[in-house]
C-alpha cells in the first residue's frame, strides 16, 4: 500500500471548533486488553513503534494491574522498557500504589487511575464502592504528583451502566470533581458501553463546566457500539474539548455488549478531523497500514470503516466495488 495513493477528505472547516486535537491513542492498552488473542510482547512493541511513526503523540502503552487480572497485558515489565525511548508520551494504567511503584521503577512519566461513576461497575471492576475506590486512588495520585508524574483519571460508565441503566449527570460530575480535587491533571470521560448520544454528551459537558471544571482538563472516550462515537465527538469539540481517546483500527470489542465494535477507531476520528481542517499531526495512510498489519496478527479484520475503505482502495483499487 502506498500512503500517497490513499484518499483523504476535502478539508472544510466548520465554525466553533478547535484548530487542533490531541489524540490519546489507546489501542495498545484498552484495545489489546479487550481482544481475545494475547499478542506477543515483541509484536506489541513493534505496534507502539509503528503508531509513534504515524505522528501520534500520546500512546497508552500498557497497564500495571496484577498480571492475573488482565493476562493480555501481563508483560508490562518487559514491554514498557522496550518502547520507553520513543519520542512520545507513553501513559500507563496503575490501579493502586503497588502498580504505581512498578511503573515508577521503570521510569513512567504519565500514569492513569481508573474510577467508576457507578456503584455497580466499581463493585464489578474493583470490588469496591465508588468512595472506597477513590480512597484507594488518593495516595496513588498524591505520590505520582510528588514525583512530578502526569496523572489521568479515567471515569467509566459516564453515560450508561449495564446494571444500572442511564447514569444521572450530577452523579458523574461529583466523581469528576473528586478526581480533580485529588490532583488528577486530566480526566477521560468514558462511555464504556457506547450508549451516549449527542444531547447527553452536551448535557454532561455543560454540567461539568458549569460546576467549575475547566474544559482543558477533559478528554472524551467514546465507544462506537451503536454508531454514535463520531457524533458524540463532534459535540464534545463544539463544547471546547480538545483531547479525544481512540483506538487504532478500532481495536478492542465492547466487553459488556459482546459487540465487535467498541472503541472509536483512530482512523475514523482522523478522517473526520481532517475533513474539518483540524490538525492532529497523524499520517492517515501510515496509520491504516499499521492497523492492517495488527489485524493480521490478531487474525481478524479491523471494524473501522475508514480502515476498510482505505485498505481496500490501496490494495485492490481495480476490483469492482
Ligand atoms: Mg475503551
Amino acid at each position: 500500500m502506498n500512503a500517497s495513493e490513499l484518499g483523504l477528505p476535502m478539508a472544510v472547516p466548520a465554525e466553533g471548533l478547535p484548530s487542533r486535537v490531541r489524540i490519546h491513542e489507546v489501542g495498545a492498552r484498552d484495545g489489546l486488553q479487550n481482544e481475545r488473542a494475547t499478542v506477543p510482547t515483541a509484536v506489541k512493541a513493534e505496534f507502539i513503534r509503528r503508531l509513534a511513526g504515524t505522528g501520534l503523540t500520546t500512546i497508552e502503552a500498557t497497564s500495571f494491574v496484577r498480571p492475573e487480572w488482565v493476562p493480555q497485558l501481563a508483560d508490562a515489565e518487559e514491554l514498557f522498557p522496550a518502547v520507553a525511548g520513543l519520542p512520545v508520551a507513553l501513559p500507563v494504567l496503575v490501579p493502586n500504589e503497588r502498580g504505581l511503584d512498578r511503573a515508577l521503577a521503570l521510569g513512567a512519566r504519565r500514569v492513569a487511575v481508573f474510577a467508576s461513576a457507578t456503584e455497580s461497575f466499581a463493585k464489578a471492576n474493583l470490588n469496591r464502592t465508588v468512595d472506597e475506590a477513590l480512597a484507594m486512588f488518593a495516595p496513588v495520585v498524591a505520590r505520582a504528583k510528588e514525583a512530578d508524574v502526569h496523572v489521568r483519571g479515567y471515569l467509566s460508565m459516564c453515560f450508561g451502566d449495564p446494571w444500572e441503566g442511564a447514569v444521572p449527570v450530577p452523579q458523574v460530575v461529583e466523581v469528576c470533581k473528586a478526581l480533580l480535587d485529588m490532583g488528577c491533571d486530566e480526566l477521560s470521560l468514558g462511555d464504556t458501553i457506547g450508549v451516549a448520544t449527542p444531547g447527553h454528551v452536551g448535557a454532561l459537558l455543560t454540567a461539568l463546566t458549569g460546576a467549575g471544571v475547566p474544559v482543558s482538563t477533559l478528554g472524551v472516550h467514546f465507544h462506537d457500539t451503536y454508531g454514535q462515537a463520531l457524533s458524540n465527538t463532534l459535540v464534545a469539540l463544539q463544547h471546547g474539548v480538545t483531547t479525544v481517546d481512540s483506538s487504532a483500527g478500532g481495536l478492542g470489542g465492547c466487553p459488556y455488549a459482546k459487540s465487535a465494535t467498541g472503541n472509536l477507531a483512530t482512523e475514523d476520528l482522523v478522517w473526520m478531523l481532517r475533513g474539518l481542517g483540524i490538525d492532529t499531526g497523524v499520517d492517515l495512510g501510515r496509520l491504516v497500514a499499521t492497523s492492517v498489519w495488527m489485524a493480521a496478527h490478531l487474525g481478524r479484520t479491523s471494524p473501522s470503516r475508514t480502515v476498510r475503505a482505505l485498505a481496500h482502495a490501496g490494495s485492490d483499487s481495480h476490483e469492482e466495488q
Side-chain angles (χ1 to χ4, degrees):
M1 185 170 10
N2 181 341
S4 67
E5 293 171 7
L6 294 170
L8 291 171
M10 184 166 82
V12 183
E15 276 185 41
L17 296 176
S19 58
R20 188 174 174 86
V21 161
R22 182 175 65 87
I23 296 177
H24 185 109
E25 167 61 44
V26 299
R29 197 282 301 170
D30 183 356
L32 294 183
Q33 174 175 341
N34 292 303
E35 290 288 337
R36 197 162 302 176
T38 297
V39 176
T41 308
V43 174
K44 290 178 188 170
E46 178 62 17
F47 182 43
I48 292 171
R49 262 181 236 121
R50 290 184 186 214
L51 290 173
T54 70
L56 287 161
T57 56
T58 308
I59 303 172
E60 201 164 276
T62 187
S63 175
F64 288 89
V65 296
R66 274 167 51 183
E68 57 270 33
W69 287 2
V70 183
Q72 294 93 329
L73 304 183
D75 58 354
E77 253 82 14
E78 291 74 49
L79 176 61
F80 191 82
V83 296
L86 291 169
V88 293
L90 294 163
V92 295
L93 257 60
V94 294
N96 50 33
E97 290 191 82
R98 172 74 189 115
L100 178 69
D101 288 338
R102 292 167 59 201
L104 293 179
L106 294 174
R109 301 302 304 153
R110 284 181 171 247
V111 299
V113 296
F114 41 100
S116 169
T118 67
E119 293 295 344
S120 299
F121 190 66
K123 179 79 183 160
N125 199 37
L126 298 165
N127 198 28
R128 283 173 166 79
T129 67
V130 169
D131 286 344
E132 285 168 354
L134 291 174
M136 175 173 72
F137 298 136
V140 178
V141 177
R143 286 187 44 212
K145 293 318 299 171
E146 276 168 30
D148 202 24
V149 163
H150 183 276
V151 183
R152 162 176 260 227
Y154 274 103
L155 191 58
S156 294
M157 305 296 176
C158 288
F159 299 92
D161 172 294
W163 301 277
E164 300 180 20
V167 180
V169 166
Q171 183 176 324
V172 181
V173 172
E174 195 178 324
V175 186
C176 284
K177 291 192 77 169
L179 286 166
L180 289 171
D181 289 347
M182 199 179 278
C184 286
D185 298 288
E186 166 184 294
L187 300 181
S188 170
L189 306 172
D191 180 19
T192 314
I193 57 173
V195 295
T197 46
H200 195 168
V201 172
L204 176 58
L205 291 171
T206 299
L208 283 166
T209 51
V213 174
V215 74
S216 59
T217 64
L218 298 175
V220 288
H221 185 114
F222 293 123
H223 283 187
D224 210 27
T225 321
Y226 299 93
Q228 306 297 300
L230 282 179
S231 311
N232 293 337
T233 301
L234 184 57
V235 169
L237 300 181
Q238 288 167 340
H239 280 76
V241 170
T242 59
T243 299
V244 180
D245 296 6
S246 62
S247 175
L251 283 175
C254 182
Y256 301 95
K258 293 196 168 45
S259 161
T261 306
N263 288 310
L264 167 61
T266 307
E267 289 86 349
D268 296 8
L269 174 63
V270 170
W271 179 274
M272 181 180 80
L273 294 177
R274 240 199 118 99
L276 287 165
I278 297 173
D279 186 21
T280 63
V282 174
D283 181 320
L284 186 56
R286 281 191 185 186
L287 184 59
V288 168
T290 298
S291 290
V292 169
W293 173 85
M294 193 66 213
H297 279 285
L298 291 168
R300 76 174 182 103
T301 54
S302 165
S304 159
R305 307 275 177 83
T306 301
V307 170
R308 289 180 180 194
L310 294 183
H312 188 72
S315 60
D316 278 314
S317 54
H318 304 299
E319 207 174 89
E320 286 293 320
Q321 299 296 304

